[in-house]
Amino acid sequence: MSTEQGSNSNYRRTLGTTALTAVGLGSIIGSGWLFGAERAAALAGPAAILAWVIGAVVALTIALTYTELGSMFPKAGGMVRYGQFSHGSLAGYMAAWANWIAIVSVIPGEATASIQYMSSWDFSWAEHLYNGKELTGSGLALASVLVVFYFFLNWFAITLFAKTNNAITVFKVVVPVLTAGALMFAHFDTSNITDHGGFAPNGWSAVFSAVAVAGIVWAFNGFQSPLNMAAEARNPGKSLPKAVIGSILIALVIYIALQVAFLMAVPAQDLTASGGWNALGYKSPLADLSIAWGLNWLALLLYADAFVSPSGTGMIYAATTSRMIHGVQENGHLPKIFGKVDPKTGVPKPALLLNLGISFIFLAVFRGWGSIAEIVGVATVISYITGPVAVMSLRRIAPGMKRPVKLKAMPVIAPIAMIFGSLVMYWARWPLTGKVIFIMAIGLPIWAWYELRKPWAELKPHLKAGAWMVTYLLVMAFVSWAGGEEFGGKGYLAPGWDIVVVALIAVAFYFWGVKSAWRNPTLVQVEKEMTELAEAEAEGGADESSEPSLTKS
């Protein structure tokens, strides 16, 4: 048995479709619903409704590529491993780094959201937790306590996590639905749609930017949580696709209802006094509107849920990021200790502790929900681009591998997903796009430490196969800098043509990426594991307590 087999065999395969859907929905409905409606409206006005739809379409298209990969490789931290399977260490590491940055930063982001809502409490000590832009020292201390709490709930066992998360997810769904309904019933001013600049007061470019930086990508990014916990899925071939797609669609309905409720509930005098949608300055948007229309009971419920919803999501991400670190270690880019899984609880405790430390760093550097949401949004999109490329690459270089989920339309879906991901990255606006791409480069020394010591003959194919991704990020940074002024660029690309250029770039790198895939040692190893599994099943001696590593991983 390989090292990977041994570590992964300690996971408990206990999560069914309902539990995995709860994981996905619980990840999607976190702090995004508390702040996303106002932030999207500030950027796009009433057209923010369309931004949520666009965000869901993007997430769903990309998610379809990952459901095939997740069912093929039901492994811990799956999202950080697919690029390694298809392209080797360089592309695999960069995808894993981007994905981990996007997910681990959500944990302090959820804690920050809770404290920002607390700052609206009618107590002098609470008012000093948040200064309008970022957490104060006392706010930072309280947020740190919440982060510790998230990790504490994950420390003991996956079964405790599942039971706790299912209960929290029910509450997290009920409260947003109740909030949307109550606000619509209390005040529904349709003139807000036509007045104060009209439906799209800041133009359509603002709608697209809202998708990237208003917390919409942040919100729908939760679809990948079930994939990262695939090692604990009872029947990943059936449950993963249902959990991923179902959680996105349920969340879309809830988010549109909340956005409509927010738009109609904002008092007209607030819009007039502030100068329009982009000047609104609510500390706790939905709670402040509840108080404005006499719904004090709802405000109290929202203040309570400002802890429950973000805490539920923070707890989920604490679990999934520990599985991601486990996956990065098995890719060969972290010390072996981070691949250890406690045999009694089924929890990768060293990985959990590492993410706790990193969460504290993010909390100290990015103290406001908005600033964290921007970073998460762009880093998430960078991690997304490996899915469309990897799924079609593996169809080319490993056609015989078992695919419990295989869509006939994937050859069309995959390049479209690549285009969507590239457009969202461009919509995030310069210089944010450049800053996050720079953060991606910061992780390369870790890869170099493990890889550059290898013989050139062994290293060369990894570099060749990963060149497309490095070049892609550099080209996207350049296009973002040179692009339309409405997206923060220098204006060298005319409006409309910039979108065409980005789409063409996406297609070109998609085909380069698919062509660059190769049968690297990691893929060969995982194919061997699948062969062992098939042989064991043929002999009729396989069961959940003795399956080879793929189903246990």
Side-chain angles (χ1 to χ4, degrees), residues 24 46 84 96 112 132 143 173 179 192 196 262 284 311 318 346 352 355 358 367 400 424 442 482 487 494-495 509:
Q84 178 100 5
T112 299
V173 171
T179 299
N192 283 354
H196 317 290
F262 176 85
S284 308
S311 294
L352 204 62
N355 283 317
I358 298 299
R367 299 187 177 192
V424 174
I442 292 176
F487 295 112
F509 278 96

Side-chain angles (χ1 to χ4, degrees), residues 8 24 81 101 173 281 290 454 457 490:
N8 280 317
R81 307 208 67 194
I101 290 293
V173 171
S290 300
K454 295 180 179 178
K490 295 293 184 180

Side-chain angles (χ1 to χ4, degrees), residues 86-97:
S86 61
H87 287 81
S89 69
L90 179 57
Y93 176 82
M94 293 187 68
W97 176 263

Side-chain angles (χ1 to χ4, degrees), residues 8-31:
N8 280 317
S9 64
N10 289 325
Y11 281 115
R12 301 290 186 265
R13 193 166 285 282
T14 58
L15 302 182
T17 300
T18 301
L20 287 168
T21 302
V23 168
L25 192 58
S27 296
I28 292 172
I29 303 178
S31 58

Side-chain angles (χ1 to χ4, degrees), residues 179-496:
T179 299
L183 286 176
M184 288 181 186
F185 182 79
H187 189 75
F188 199 81
D189 188 353
T190 56
S191 65
N192 283 354
I193 299 294
T194 55
D195 298 343
H196 317 290
F199 184 71
N202 300 317
W204 291 104
S205 63
V207 178
F208 299 137
S209 292
V211 176
V213 300
I216 294 175
V217 168
W218 167 312
F220 288 116
N221 185 38
F223 80 77
Q224 62 176 279
S225 289
L227 299 174
N228 283 323
M229 301 195 73
E232 288 115 311
R234 282 197 297 267
N235 189 350
K238 293 183 178 180
S239 59
L240 287 178
K242 291 179 181 178
V244 169
I245 296 171
S247 59
I248 291 175
L249 295 179
I250 294 170
L252 174 61
V253 174
I254 294 172
Y255 276 121
I256 288 178
L258 284 165
Q259 187 67 68
V260 171
F262 176 85
L263 292 169
M264 305 305 180
V266 174
Q269 60 267 28
D270 285 4
L271 290 169
T272 302
S274 64
W277 294 102
N278 61 350
L280 291 176
Y282 298 124
K283 276 189 174 182
S284 308
L286 298 174
D288 291 347
L289 289 179
S290 300
I291 293 172
W293 299 114
L295 302 175
N296 293 332
W297 63 270
L298 181 59
L300 292 174
L301 184 61
L302 285 167
Y303 286 140
D305 192 65
F307 282 97
V308 176
S309 283
S311 294
T313 301
M315 180 184 69
I316 292 170
Y317 277 73
T320 58
T321 50
S322 65
R323 275 69 177 174
M324 292 169 73
I325 286 295
H326 186 177
V328 172
Q329 187 277 321
E330 289 177 344
N331 285 345
H333 299 134
L334 280 176
K336 290 184 178 180
I337 187 173
F338 295 113
K340 291 186 177 180
V341 180
D342 184 77
K344 293 182 179 180
T345 61
V347 175
K349 292 185 175 181
L352 204 62
L353 288 172
L354 175 63
N355 283 317
L356 176 60
I358 298 299
S359 294
F360 285 142
I361 295 174
F362 271 92
L363 192 61
V365 175
F366 305 105
R367 299 187 177 192
W369 187 89
S371 60
I372 297 179
E374 291 179 348
I375 298 296
V376 170
V378 182
T380 295
V381 172
I382 292 175
S383 70
Y384 279 170
I385 65 170
T386 54
V389 174
V391 69
M392 293 308 299
S393 295
L394 289 167
R395 285 195 180 189
R396 181 178 70 82
I397 63 176
M401 292 185 72
K402 183 179 179 182
R403 290 168 169 81
V405 176
K406 186 176 182 181
L407 299 178
K408 292 182 179 179
M410 189 60 73
V412 176
I413 293 172
I416 291 175
M418 183 74 173
I419 292 171
F420 283 169
S422 301
L423 286 173
V424 174
M425 194 187 310
Y426 176 69
W427 293 340
R429 299 182 179 182
W430 183 266
L432 178 62
T433 305
K435 289 179 179 178
V436 179
I437 289 176
F438 175 73
I439 292 175
M440 297 304 101
I442 292 176
L444 285 176
I446 299 176
W447 173 85
W449 172 260
Y450 285 95
E451 298 293 329
L452 294 186
R453 293 178 290 180
K454 295 180 179 178
W456 174 247
E458 182 180 344
L459 179 62
K460 183 180 177 180
H462 293 273
L463 294 174
K464 183 178 179 181
W468 73 271
M469 189 168 185
V470 176
T471 309
Y472 170 81
L473 292 177
L474 293 175
V475 170
M476 285 300 299
F478 175 77
V479 172
S480 181
W481 169 82
E485 294 180 356
E486 67 272 26
F487 295 112
K490 295 293 184 180
Y492 297 138
L493 295 176

